[in-house]
Amino acid sequence: MKTGRLFLVSFLTLFLEVALIRWMPAYIRLLSYFSNFILLASFLGIGVGCLLAGRRRNFFALFPALQLAVVVAVNRLRLEVAIPSTTSIYFSSGTAEKVTTVESTMLLPLLFIVVAALFVTIAQRMGRELAAQPPLRAYTVNLLGSLTGVAAFAVASWLQLPPAAWFAIAFGAALPFILEQRRAMALANIALLVVSAAVVYQMERGSLWSPYYRITVHQDRTDTVVEVNNIFHQSMAPLDQKEYFYQWPYTVFGDTFDNVLILGAGTGTDVAAALRHGARHVDAVEIDPVILRLGLEHHPDHPYSDPRVTMICDDARHFLRTTTKKYDLVVFALIDSLTLQSSFSSVRLESYMFTEESLRAVRDHLSPRGVMALYNYFREKWLVDRLANTVALAFGEELKAYVHQDRAYLAVMLAGPRLKELAAVPPPPSRFFAYGQPQAPSPARTLDRDPTIIPATDDWPFLYMRAPELPRHYLAALAVILVISAIAVFGALGTSLITGTAGTARWSWHFFFLGAGFMLLETKSIVQFALLWGSTWSSASLAIASVLLMALASTLVVSRVDIRRPWAVASVLFGLLALNYVLPIGRISFESRAVESAFYGLLVFSPVFCAGLLFSSSFKRSPSAAIDFGANLLGAMIGGVGEYLSLLEGYRFLLILVAGCYLAAVLTARLVGHHVTE
């Protein structure tokens, strides 16, 4: 029975965590780019909750009220300020605004506190259940519950269930613990959870829920407009009423493209253009199944109903890695995801499509007379320069690029071997249709690119940052969050944080550094996983599950084998980290896709297994499982903050931080007298 309760509360913790990470950014736009903050808040709350496991008061009784507070906050808070964006871009597709209206970054600490408090209430109960069993057995059950939570949410995403269903699942998981309370309190808490679910249901009315977005569709004059997470994303109208760039490659080269690849095909306007101009076959790649379905049902030109079109629901970068086909024309179709790849990193969903390595893959999939077309509203001149510099570097030759400066830096670019056949490229039109844009003339100018703007790479894929830096609003919000976290930890442990006294309420720097290192390693692994199998929701779920499975496997090993020389395990871990540093994904080529996946999968996840061995061997002998588990999770939160250093140095740099954390973990184990992990 105790095992069942631990499993259930572990399931509830992780399921609700990933549900909030999906749900909150759908209504608070800024969180579409800062969902890592929800993850950090949950780690703080879980860590503090575990530290408070020994307190007499039952904080779980406050869970329904705090969940309702989170729901009401998301429903009602609409603090809007104008943030000038000159070195970082948050929203770019189809907007001419030089100042984008977004929620204040200082709203983040308020949301952080509320979410952290919510998870304190759940985690205190989880900490009690952890403390009631042998540490290693308890950790195994915790991992199994967490894995089940990830799997359950993956199924919900696959079924495209709305948030009301997510909260209903969490309600069901919390119900056994609520029924343990006094009858009057239990009835009141059940009523609060019902109210939460009702508010969530009311909020989602009229929305479609893809695995990536909250999607709304409405008619605006001649256009069918698609919004995602309250932001304009796409509009569907007859091809003749759309911008010229959809037909620009055919204007330049004529109706001479037989095989066309559209990357980020969306609702299908680029596909309609290819069909009108005589393409014999079009592969339309789009990551979002709901966006594809909307194009099939609502686009006035019905491009997806044409037998010449193959609809492919996949990440564009993954498709390029797995296909062997060659194309006469490859089109980047206004790719702008407006969301992050996962809650673990600052990488946007489409970021890996615009790196040097990705554009080389496009070059390699062109036929001998092929050409690539890329166009979008880029909003800043430096972003146009970055893409042009990256294209020139990847193709090894100059490209043709034009910019409409007063149309949100709309740019059109052409590159590829077929450009050599042209004596001159006809100038783009100065007048053109554009949804939400003025109709005054806007002459295009040949791009004079700034070569000092660095290209994006798979190691530094931050397309929308002008240069490697930590933006001030990131620093301000992170500083406030770290202060809040320090106050919370001091409040949970009191003076024992400094003195190491106060009985069982002691602080373990050993477990803290283990947590920080594991979080950084998990982040790096998930980012690399996206390069192997794409940035899809299913790959993200599989990556998280793989990390948990590695942790579970290491726990099972430690339960049967007594690791007496952890320095040997640590040495293997450091060696694997070095190998990952010198062999980034793609450095070694394989003819077999299966062999490539096996090699890089083993390379990426073997350090996670070794890290799990170090943690489990220490946790096996923990005198206070809840306290040490809490310290570990708080370390993981600091590791999540450390992930932002990738904005400065790239993701390979995180491996150096990981090595430093595990070295500190080993050294602090010696200092506190552990005889297993030192």
Side-chain angles (χ1 to χ4, degrees), residues 71-125:
V71 170
V72 171
V74 172
N75 187 34
R76 295 296 180 186
L77 286 178
R78 290 291 183 268
L79 304 179
E80 303 279 347
V81 297
I83 298 179
S85 178
T86 58
T87 60
S88 300
I89 295 177
Y90 295 103
F91 317 108
S92 63
S93 181
T95 176
E97 297 293 333
K98 290 188 176 181
V99 175
T100 304
T101 303
V102 298
E103 288 83 357
S104 168
T105 53
M106 296 316 295
L107 175 61
L108 292 172
L110 175 61
L111 296 171
F112 182 88
I113 292 171
V114 177
V115 172
L118 174 66
F119 280 97
V120 167
T121 65
I122 308 172
Q124 188 204 33
R125 182 56 186 262

Side-chain angles (χ1 to χ4, degrees), residues 136-137 140 552-563 613 616-617 620:
L136 212 55
R137 180 193 301 171
T140 302
L552 180 61
S554 62
T555 303
L556 294 176
V557 169
V558 171
S559 68
R560 290 166 172 79
V561 178
D562 193 9
I563 299 178
L613 291 177
S616 297
S617 60
K620 183 178 182 178

Side-chain angles (χ1 to χ4, degrees), residues 89-230:
I89 295 177
Y90 295 103
F91 317 108
S92 63
S93 181
T95 176
E97 297 293 333
K98 290 188 176 181
V99 175
T100 304
T101 303
V102 298
E103 288 83 357
S104 168
T105 53
M106 296 316 295
L107 175 61
L108 292 172
L110 175 61
L111 296 171
F112 182 88
I113 292 171
V114 177
V115 172
L118 174 66
F119 280 97
V120 167
T121 65
I122 308 172
Q124 188 204 33
R125 182 56 186 262
M126 185 173 72
R128 290 178 175 180
E129 300 297 340
L130 280 166
Q133 300 184 49
L136 212 55
R137 180 193 301 171
Y139 182 53
T140 302
V141 175
N142 173 262
L143 287 173
L144 288 172
S146 299
L147 268 169
T148 307
V150 170
F153 196 80
V155 171
S157 296
W158 178 64
L159 294 174
Q160 297 174 19
L161 297 179
W166 312 345
F167 280 84
I169 293 171
F171 186 165
L175 190 59
F177 303 105
I178 293 174
L179 293 177
E180 295 175 353
Q181 300 165 2
R182 293 191 303 271
R183 184 176 180 181
M185 180 176 289
L187 289 174
N189 280 335
I190 289 173
L192 289 173
L193 290 177
V194 170
V195 172
S196 293
V199 174
V200 170
Y201 177 76
Q202 179 66 29
M203 292 170 66
E204 75 188 25
R205 292 179 62 183
S207 302
L208 301 171
W209 288 83
S210 82
Y212 306 97
Y213 309 110
R214 168 180 174 247
I215 299 175
T216 54
V217 183
H218 67 271
Q219 195 68 31
D220 186 3
R221 299 188 300 277
T222 61
D223 290 60
T224 301
V225 177
V226 177
E227 293 184 348
V228 299
N229 295 351
N230 297 321

Side-chain angles (χ1 to χ4, degrees), residues 565-580:
R565 296 184 178 180
W567 259 112
V569 177
S571 298
V572 172
L573 173 60
F574 294 144
L576 290 170
L577 293 175
L579 193 59
N580 273 270

